[in-house]
Amino acid sequence: MSKLQLDAEDRLRHLLTLEGLPRALLESLLDRAEILRPRALSGSGERAALAGRTVVNLFFEASTRTRNAFQIAAMRLGADVVNFEVSQSSTRKGETLADTALTLQAMGVDIFVVRAAESGALAELAGVLDAGSAVVNAGDGRAAHPTQGLLDMLTLRMHKGRDFSGLKVLLVGDVAHSRVARSNLHALRTLGAGEIRIAAPTTLLPSAEVLDGSRVFDSLNEALAGVDMVMMLRLQRERMAEGLIDSIDAYARDWQLTPQRLQLAAPDAIVMHPGPMNRGVEIAAEVADGPQSVILEQVANGVAVRMAVMQMLVENRHVVRR
Ligand code: NCD
């Protein structure tokens, strides 16, 4: 995946994963998003950037934030946007993702924003489309969610500065099933985060490869000591075999970020969550809505980051008007 998304000059041609994305490229996407942010939020946008281009949102899993942020970002860039209705489409008749995408490409779609249930589907898609089309991963299985990783890095950077080397960051909960965690871990390593901590019940820990370079804790209270950022992850019951946790109540007792627990972190620590939240399970409502929460800023930054990605793909001339 990491090779397929770069051209011979190491410029972005698809965005499939943050794994292996060069630091300079990652930082230039964040810089670009930071510049676009005021125009993303005010709505004035950058309307000439994708004028005449067509973006399709092809989502095979549920989404609120990601899909709407991509739609708003594409509109702010002046693109025509199609929201593909999977439940009403011929995918229900057995048409494959590749055939669906080739059909849309024949109608003039330039950028394919895709959320897939299986890891690997995106790389396959990038392989079958014309050279003039680009694929952007909006989440595939548990593997990657690169624009989420970027928006989280932008949010962290805006609060803690560009130099992550002095930061202690903590990811908590269902890391095993989380593409958000995987993309965050790649980005945090690339950007040189000082200390990366992971806290989870052993049944929700990912493979050793994913954990590489992180300090693993089996107690949330211990893991929280002195951290500058804590990211709570949703308990992904839809991806979970039964029996990985004893009960929701027991999970909430041991792993919920409560106002009391948050006091163990640095006094100016920020609290993140990619959404959707299970209030009262992994995060207490008082924390989600409290002064240290930057959860809605993450959402706002998601529009700017997606604008930056699509603008860069077009500028790199990998999205070619036919
Ligand atoms: C996440 C996702 O779908 O990967 N949400 C998001 O895109 N912000 C996380 C989740 O579903 O828990």
Side-chain angles (χ1 to χ4, degrees), residues 7-321:
D7 66 16
E9 281 91 48
D10 265 2
R11 293 179 317 165
L12 199 64
R13 55 157 308 135
H14 302 286
L15 180 63
L16 305 177
T17 176
L18 297 185
E19 185 175 8
L21 203 71
R23 180 171 183 159
L25 180 49
L26 212 157
E27 287 186 330
S28 80
L29 280 168
L30 298 178
D31 292 343
R32 195 182 271 260
E34 203 162 345
I35 293 166
L36 286 166
R37 194 175 182 273
R39 278 170 285 160
L41 299 181
S42 73
S44 59
E46 185 72 29
R47 306 253 171 195
L50 263 70
R53 263 62 182 227
T54 305
V55 175
V56 68
N57 274 324
L58 200 53
F59 278 57
F60 293 88
E61 281 189 350
S63 174
T64 296
R65 276 148 289 273
T66 307
R67 188 171 116 145
N68 288 304
F70 267 110
Q71 179 174 0
I72 291 169
M75 290 165 88
R76 298 267 195 273
L77 293 169
D80 297 323
V81 187
V82 178
N83 280 313
F84 184 89
E85 288 303 331
V86 171
S87 61
Q88 311 276 323
S89 75
S90 292
T91 58
R92 294 275 174 237
K93 302 178 184 168
E95 192 164 36
T96 63
L97 172 60
D99 281 330
T100 305
L102 287 170
T103 301
L104 292 162
Q105 178 175 262
M107 295 178 198
V109 169
D110 303 293
I111 298 183
F112 294 80
V113 176
V114 184
R115 172 166 286 189
E118 289 98 44
S119 316
L122 279 288
E124 190 193 328
L125 191 61
V128 298
L129 290 172
D130 275 1
S133 311
V135 177
V136 182
N137 186 351
D140 63 330
R142 60 177 78 179
H145 193 348
T147 56
Q148 179 74 39
L150 288 169
L151 74 87
D152 290 333
M153 293 307 109
L154 179 60
T155 309
L156 183 59
R157 186 168 111 158
M158 289 175 67
H159 283 272
K160 300 291 168 194
R162 285 159 183 262
D163 181 2
F164 289 1
S165 64
L167 295 184
K168 290 191 182 82
V169 299
L170 168 63
L171 275 57
V172 183
D174 189 1
V175 185
H177 300 96
S178 178
R179 52 194 173 210
V180 175
R182 284 170 179 73
S183 283
N184 266 274
L185 289 169
H186 289 308
L188 287 164
R189 285 188 207 116
T190 302
L191 297 174
E195 188 178 316
I196 303 173
R197 299 182 183 179
I198 290 177
T202 19
T203 49
L204 296 180
L205 282 174
S207 65
E209 193 192 344
V210 176
L211 294 172
D212 188 34
S214 311
R215 270 183 78 186
V216 179
F217 292 77
D218 60 9
S219 147
L220 177 53
N221 289 355
E222 282 169 29
L224 277 163
V227 296
D228 302 291
M229 181 276 266
V230 49
M231 178 179 293
M232 302 308 296
L233 299 166
R234 182 175 66 92
L235 201 54
Q236 301 205 13
R237 281 174 272 179
E238 78 277 20
R239 295 191 206 284
M240 207 175 274
E242 294 302 316
L244 290 183
I245 56 167
D246 291 338
S247 70
I248 298 292
D249 285 350
Y251 185 84
R253 185 192 63 225
D254 294 339
W255 298 99
Q256 183 183 117
L257 187 60
T258 58
Q260 297 72 24
R261 284 193 171 127
L262 182 54
Q263 287 180 9
L264 300 167
D268 61 351
I270 56 169
V271 175
M272 301 175 79
H273 192 306
M277 287 186 275
N278 290 312
R279 286 170 181 259
V281 181
E282 71 269 3
I283 190 164
E286 303 92 293
V287 173
D289 302 328
Q292 287 166 269
S293 166
V294 298
I295 295 168
L296 291 175
E297 282 176 50
Q298 291 172 263
V299 175
N301 288 338
V303 177
V305 154
R306 283 148 187 145
M307 284 175 74
V309 169
M310 290 190 280
Q311 190 193 43
M312 186 184 274
L313 289 169
V314 169
E315 269 180 31
N316 286 350
R317 300 193 170 281
H318 288 304
V319 179
V320 179
R321 198 171 288 146

